Amino acid sequence: MHVTTADKRATFKKMHESGCFILPNPVDVGSAKALQHLGFKAIASSSAGFAWTIGKADNHVTVEDVCQHLAALSSAVDIPVNADFEGGFAVEPDKVADNVERCVRTGVAGLSIEDSTGDKDNPIYERALAVERIKASHKAIGDSGTLLVGRCEAYLWGVTDLKLVIDRLTAYADAGADCLYAPGLKTREDIAAVVKAVAPKPFNLLIGGSGLSLQEAEDLGVRRISVGGSLARAAWGGFMRAAKEMAEKGTFTELASGYPGGELNKMFG
């Protein structure tokens, strides 16, 4: 049975109403299909994970690269895809809106917009501009049913001010964000405080260094969990260990830890 984009978007919104779910991050069509095969109900792209597959550093891909990638992921699986759409690939709200429209056309069920500038001296956008960028994104999404995630990147850039994060996220919620996200939070206290502040809207946790399990995150009120580039790094870990062994020692023992080719063929057959 063909699952339409509208079906995926409706399913994705429903998933945000209660409970807590893992939103793992594939890097390409094959890994997206594998995650669907393993029973995950939705997936999310990873800006870093994708960038590395095309030989680029994170935040160095183009909007064209990303939209092609998102269209490929969305058409390859029957489950919702949430787009890591970085900062919307523009600064000005109207240009962010244009790119958000492009992203929606790829068939994604959700997309996130960050407030980081890429400038170490001024790491996050001035508050009013950041809010306008979310408002413009919300307007661009229109009645498509695509879920908008507002991200405050402060902690990832060393601005560990919980009051600032909560102020930003609540402002993004008021500006039209359906789900809120502040990667970098680690303590139960901080996570619980943010969950409470943005309620009843759902909060996305980057599991990162928190050490929490799915159940523990759910107990804190988290609605969904992302792993960012962690699956990509795990895959690269195996690849680089085996390749380095061959290059440096001329031996091949690491190859024995690879996933069985027969199992992969069965999964994709």
Side-chain angles (χ1 to χ4, degrees):
M1 183 188 75
H2 175 65
V3 180
T4 67
T5 297
D7 291 338
K8 293 177 186 177
R9 289 171 177 168
T11 296
F12 200 45
K13 287 225 167 172
K14 188 78 174 172
M15 290 174 68
H16 288 75
E17 292 177 3
S18 62
C20 185
F21 63 94
I22 300 172
L23 192 63
N25 306 79
V27 300
D28 55 16
V29 165
S31 53
K33 287 188 171 184
L35 291 170
Q36 176 176 276
H37 176 80
L38 289 170
F40 289 100
K41 303 303 183 187
I43 56 177
S45 68
S46 161
S47 63
F50 167 60
W52 299 330
T53 68
I54 59 173
K56 294 186 178 182
D58 191 16
N59 303 123
H60 285 74
V61 297
T62 66
V63 67
E64 288 79 12
D65 290 333
V66 169
C67 285
Q68 287 178 10
H69 172 60
L70 294 172
L73 292 184
S74 297
S75 62
V77 295
D78 293 328
I79 56 177
V81 175
N82 190 94
D84 178 347
F85 207 54
E86 302 186 32
F89 300 91
V91 176
E92 299 83 359
D94 60 333
K95 292 180 180 177
V96 171
D98 290 342
N99 289 334
V100 165
E101 286 183 9
R102 289 185 62 179
C103 183
V104 169
R105 290 197 295 271
T106 67
V108 295
L111 65 95
S112 60
I113 295 292
E114 305 170 3
D115 60 6
S116 58
T117 64
D119 179 356
K120 291 180 181 178
D121 295 325
N122 296 287
I124 54 177
Y125 287 115
E126 186 266 326
R127 186 184 187 277
L129 175 57
V131 171
E132 286 304 313
R133 286 160 47 85
I134 295 294
K135 284 183 179 177
S137 300
H138 174 68
K139 186 176 180 181
I141 284 171
D143 60 0
S144 67
T146 309
L147 186 131
L148 175 61
V149 183
R151 290 178 53 149
C152 179
E153 303 291 288
Y155 269 54
L156 291 187
W157 286 86
V159 184
T160 52
D161 182 341
L162 191 65
K163 287 184 179 179
L164 180 148
V165 169
I166 287 174
D167 173 67
R168 289 283 179 123
L169 293 184
T170 53
Y172 299 163
D174 291 341
D178 303 296
C179 179
L180 291 311
Y181 188 5
L185 300 182
K186 291 184 172 62
T187 70
R188 292 170 185 259
E189 293 75 21
D190 286 355
I191 295 165
V194 173
V195 166
K196 182 179 179 181
V198 303
K201 291 197 174 181
F203 177 70
N204 182 107
L205 174 68
L206 178 67
I207 203 67
S210 70
L212 298 176
S213 67
L214 172 63
Q215 186 59 58
E216 288 169 334
E218 182 172 0
D219 290 344
L220 291 176
V222 170
R223 190 57 44 82
R224 67 184 214 184
I225 294 171
S226 298
V227 298
S230 296
L231 279 175
R233 290 195 299 274
W236 277 104
F239 179 91
M240 293 300 290
R241 280 191 299 274
K244 280 186 173 183
E245 182 194 7
M246 290 190 289
E248 296 170 3
K249 300 180 181 177
T251 55
F252 309 91
T253 58
E254 285 287 345
L255 297 178
S257 62
Y259 201 75
E263 290 298 313
L264 292 171
N265 288 333
K266 191 186 301 181
M267 182 166 62
F268 297 131

